[in-house]
Amino acid sequence: MSTATAAVATAADWAEVAALRTRVFVEEQGVPPEVERDAADATAVHAVSRDAAGRVVATGRLLERDGRAVVGRMAVDAAARGHGHGAAVLAELHRQALARGLTEVELHAQVTARGFYERAGYTAVGGEYEEAGIAHVTMRLLLADGARGT
């Protein structure tokens, strides 16, 4: 059982969030920086999980689109993977969606992360496609009353 927790990011967290996303998406996965960052960052709810030293090791964001919560930019530092940080961020984003009255969540999962999202209750809808040069699949989850954990 993981003791990782997550919280809504503040403006003070942004430098660490941006650095983590750059390490994971741009450096590790080869996503162009101009694709990784977008205008939605300014209005999204960002969540973070920190390691024992207080460093941001996981992040994700929540947007609202057409009455549906959209989770994206889920990133976990390579050294922190498998320790519950991603699950903690996802659970916090679910809580934030419910707090905004959103009960359906959609995300574009990298195919390599599909199992992670399936364990959190997500179901794939449709086939695989390429986004930023990486195979993805759209997944959805209906949130129950009360925040659904992972």
Side-chain angles (χ1 to χ4, degrees):
M1 188 78 178
S2 169
T3 58
T5 61
V8 173
T10 66
D13 296 320
W14 181 247
E16 280 190 275
V17 167
L20 173 60
R21 284 174 37 181
T22 295
R23 281 196 311 277
V24 171
F25 296 124
V26 178
E27 295 169 11
E28 184 181 323
Q29 299 179 348
V31 174
E34 62 274 13
V35 172
E36 196 285 311
R37 296 258 180 100
D38 63 23
D41 278 332
T43 56
V45 175
H46 298 267
V48 294
S49 182
R50 297 176 182 282
D51 65 12
R55 291 181 298 261
V56 171
V57 294
T59 188
R61 75 179 188 187
L62 177 73
L63 300 168
E64 182 177 344
R65 188 175 300 130
D66 301 324
R68 178 184 291 146
V70 179
V71 167
R73 302 306 196 269
M74 288 285 296
V76 179
D77 188 81
R81 291 178 193 151
H83 297 283
H85 294 285
V89 165
L90 191 59
E92 180 61 31
L93 294 174
H94 291 168
R95 284 189 288 275
Q96 294 302 316
L98 286 168
R100 287 157 176 77
L102 305 171
T103 57
E104 185 176 12
V105 185
E106 180 175 293
L107 54 80
H108 296 179
Q110 291 185 10
V111 170
T112 56
R114 180 176 178 159
F116 168 80
Y117 294 111
E118 287 174 338
R119 288 189 295 279
Y122 283 80
T123 303
V125 292
E128 293 181 14
Y129 53 91
E130 192 174 292
E131 204 169 82
I134 300 168
H136 283 72
V137 63
T138 297
M139 302 187 82
R140 291 196 183 130
L141 170 70
L142 282 177
L143 296 172
D145 292 332
R148 177 160 185 162
T150 52

